[in-house]
Amino acid sequence: MTEALAQAYPLHMATLRQRADAALEACGRDQLVIAAGHPITKHLDDQDYPFIVHPAFKQWLPLLDAPGSWIVYTPGKKPKLVFLQPQDFWHVVPESPTGYWVDHFDIEIIRKWPDARKHLPANPDRCAILGQPRDAVEDMIPNSPQPLVDSLDYHRAYKTPYELILMRQASVLGARGHRAAEAAFRAGESEFGIHMAYLHAISQIDAELPYASIVGLNEHGAVLHYTHFDRTPPEQSLSFLIDAGASSAGYASDITRSHAAPQAEEFQALIEAVDGVQQKLCAMVRANQDYRQMHLEAHHMLAGVLRDQGFIDMSPEAAVEEGVSSIFFPHGLGHSIGLQVHDVGGFLKNARGEKTAQPEGHPFLRQTRTLEPSMVCTIEPGLYFVDMLLAQLRERPQAKNVNWERVDRFRPYGGIRIEDDVACTEGEPENLTRDAFASLG
Ligand code: GLY
Ligand code: MN
Ligand code: MN
């Protein structure tokens, strides 16, 4: 794996340099400076929140534990890493740089963070400086010029072969965790116990995950961002929704699976129908496919499932048109993924920062771009029985088209989401998630 990364890294660097050149031209600056950032200290405390490195920093090199470090890129020159390695006997300090990437940088090691200033460019006015204002060192104050940010964010959607290797790796880790989580569910563990089984299987702690895991038993599956973790199992675990990913060198996977207990056959049938829809949508991840259309198509397909399985008695077209499908599928079809689980640039039409809006009535869709080879997006349709939304539907004229008895019977199952990470290619889509599960045997 390391060999494959080492081989792919030079092209990755060449791509980043080209992108940086174009972005610097767009904002009329000469050098790109990226702050890794600093940990945030808790209010009135001497403890820090977990350090999260700037995504633009970790795209250049696989260093996640580098607070106070900087990258300087000058077109035509080898990039420089100003690496903070404090002498500190209280903490584990960042390890000395090693690995396939070090020869691609001129590395300056510093012991105190203000010492970075003398290794950064002389004139900050000529620099595009990425970071937060709090990362400033003397006059090197992050300015994040919008034309540069737009250009970098737009291009970030196109993953290099190096990035795809890391995302496949993150997917394999995630799939391993999901297998362990399903086993823990079937063994009757609590949500907390399932989460522990997941973390153990992937050997990552919460702070290393790309997002907070959602581990919901029974009706908790209806809470879209349920991150509570009950410590005791319910009397009967009928259903289980887990949305959990993993990180590989700072690249994310984002995977959701839904499971039914053996006695919940009717819910299993609904899971299988949603799975069928999900796989059809995954097959649509092809060059020139408008993602907005896919989202609308998902609504039509899911409305078809609701009708076929006896929850509603209206046509899928009417269910979508009249907002009934949105009651059961209230979120977007998915999003771009990579350095961040919800990667930036989902709405960008071009590198100049023009945006494409969501289709009317679909404010939660996070990506409106037309797909092209080397983009990676999630495909995550779902059907949920959310009390608050169902109560709204009961007040509307379409309430007469709903089989409320059946809906009520399904409330204890919570909901279903099935989510894969899919790469668009020149031909067939590459489903990173399904490939990862398959690789586990
Ligand atoms: N886990 C966050 C999401 O699926 O978007
Ligand atoms: Mn997602
Ligand atoms: Mn997810």
Side-chain angles (χ1 to χ4, degrees):
M1 182 58 72
T2 314
E3 203 171 305
L5 284 171
Q7 276 176 15
Y9 188 67
L11 176 64
H12 176 69
M13 284 298 275
T15 306
L16 293 191
R17 293 164 77 123
Q18 271 173 15
R19 290 179 188 174
D21 292 348
L24 284 168
E25 200 171 309
C27 71
R29 312 262 173 148
D30 302 333
Q31 289 175 287
L32 173 63
V33 181
I34 308 172
H38 287 95
I40 297 173
T41 304
K42 296 176 187 173
H43 186 51
L44 299 179
D45 203 338
D46 63 355
Q47 302 294 304
D48 293 337
Y49 291 107
F51 171 66
I52 304 293
V53 69
H54 193 303
F57 184 97
K58 65 177 173 170
Q59 191 175 26
W60 284 80
L61 75 198
L63 262 191
L64 308 182
D65 182 23
S69 296
W70 298 76
I71 290 169
V72 180
Y73 170 68
T74 311
K77 291 202 180 149
K78 199 176 193 179
K80 186 200 279 189
L81 170 66
V82 181
F83 186 65
L84 175 60
Q85 197 180 31
Q87 280 161 328
D88 173 349
F89 58 86
W90 293 101
H91 304 100
V92 174
V93 298
E95 281 178 27
S96 295
T98 54
Y100 54 82
W101 57 272
V102 290
D103 289 343
H104 294 262
F105 285 83
D106 286 328
I107 300 176
E108 302 281 358
I109 297 202
I110 55 170
R111 299 296 181 191
K112 294 193 180 68
W113 71 266
D115 293 347
R117 182 63 193 96
K118 59 176 175 285
H119 300 290
L120 299 176
N123 183 359
D125 294 344
R126 300 302 311 145
C127 295
I129 309 163
L130 293 179
Q132 300 186 65
R134 52 191 294 280
D135 300 324
V137 51
E138 296 177 25
D139 58 348
M140 192 57 67
I141 303 166
N143 53 20
S144 307
Q146 198 58 46
L148 175 122
V149 171
D150 286 338
S151 181
L152 292 181
D153 286 359
Y154 177 77
H155 289 108
R156 207 205 268 182
Y158 304 95
K159 271 60 187 180
T160 65
Y162 167 83
E163 292 178 304
L164 287 169
I165 293 172
L166 291 171
M167 293 185 71
R168 287 183 197 114
Q169 211 167 296
S171 300
V172 170
L173 277 175
R176 203 179 287 157
H178 274 261
R179 283 274 169 88
E182 183 185 355
F185 157 66
R186 301 213 180 274
E189 290 278 359
S190 67
E191 291 164 348
F192 180 78
I194 294 170
H195 181 52
M196 289 299 122
Y198 182 90
L199 293 179
H200 194 260
I202 69 167
S203 201
Q204 293 187 357
I205 59 169
D206 274 294
E208 292 170 308
L209 300 179
Y211 58 92
S213 297
I214 295 165
V215 176
L217 292 170
N218 299 344
E219 68 280 2
H220 294 159
V223 181
L224 297 182
H225 286 168
Y226 178 81
T227 50
H228 177 70
F229 304 119
D230 267 355
R231 291 339 190 233
T232 44
E235 216 158 277
Q236 247 196 333
S237 289
L238 291 171
S239 62
F240 172 41
L241 186 156
I242 171 165
D243 184 345
S247 298
S248 183
Y251 285 84
S253 60
D254 181 6
I255 304 173
T256 310
R257 288 293 182 266
S258 299
H259 304 283
Q263 68 270 36
E265 278 168 33
E266 57 185 2
F267 189 60
Q268 178 63 33
L270 190 58
I271 292 176
E272 282 165 23
V274 174
D275 191 56
V277 165
Q278 197 264 1
Q279 294 205 46
K280 279 192 196 134
L281 291 163
C282 288
M284 290 171 68
V285 175
R286 286 185 170 266
N288 302 319
Q289 172 67 53
D290 182 339
Y291 196 78
R292 293 173 302 174
Q293 285 305 326
M294 286 177 73
H295 171 79
L296 296 175
E297 186 62 33
H299 271 270
H300 282 94
M301 289 189 200
L302 291 167
V305 169
L306 288 169
R307 184 198 51 189
D308 296 347
Q309 298 229 358
F311 294 97
I312 56 175
D313 67 359
M314 63 202 299
S315 72
E317 291 70 31
V320 177
E321 187 67 27
E322 295 171 33
V324 174
S325 58
S326 295
I327 297 290
F328 296 93
F329 175 41
H331 58 75
L333 175 62
H335 47 87
S336 178
I337 178 168
L339 287 159
Q340 291 167 279
V341 61
H342 301 146
D343 219 354
V344 292
F347 303 116
L348 289 174
K349 196 191 296 186
N350 52 44
R352 297 184 304 284
E354 287 177 67
K355 295 198 167 97
T356 305
Q358 292 114 333
E360 215 181 303
H362 296 269
F364 301 121
L365 183 60
R366 292 177 192 268
Q367 170 162 269
T368 55
R369 283 172 81 151
T370 295
L371 300 179
E372 290 177 68
S374 78
M375 285 183 174
V376 184
C377 60
T378 68
I379 300 293
E380 48 182 303
L383 283 180
Y384 310 85
F385 301 94
V386 182
D387 290 344
M388 187 184 111
L389 299 177
L390 292 170
Q392 290 172 9
L393 182 57
R394 268 188 198 277
E395 302 302 314
R396 291 178 18 196
Q398 294 81 10
K400 66 178 187 315
N401 298 107
V402 176
N403 180 343
W404 289 105
E405 197 189 318
R406 186 162 171 77
V407 166
D408 286 341
R409 210 170 68 234
F410 274 67
R411 279 179 201 256
Y413 302 125
I416 297 167
R417 177 163 67 258
I418 298 170
E419 175 175 29
D420 292 344
D421 305 343
V422 186
C424 182
T425 75
E426 301 283 350
E428 298 280 318
E430 178 186 348
N431 189 319
L432 308 185
T433 309
R434 302 248 169 185
D435 290 353
F437 278 109
S439 77
L440 299 180

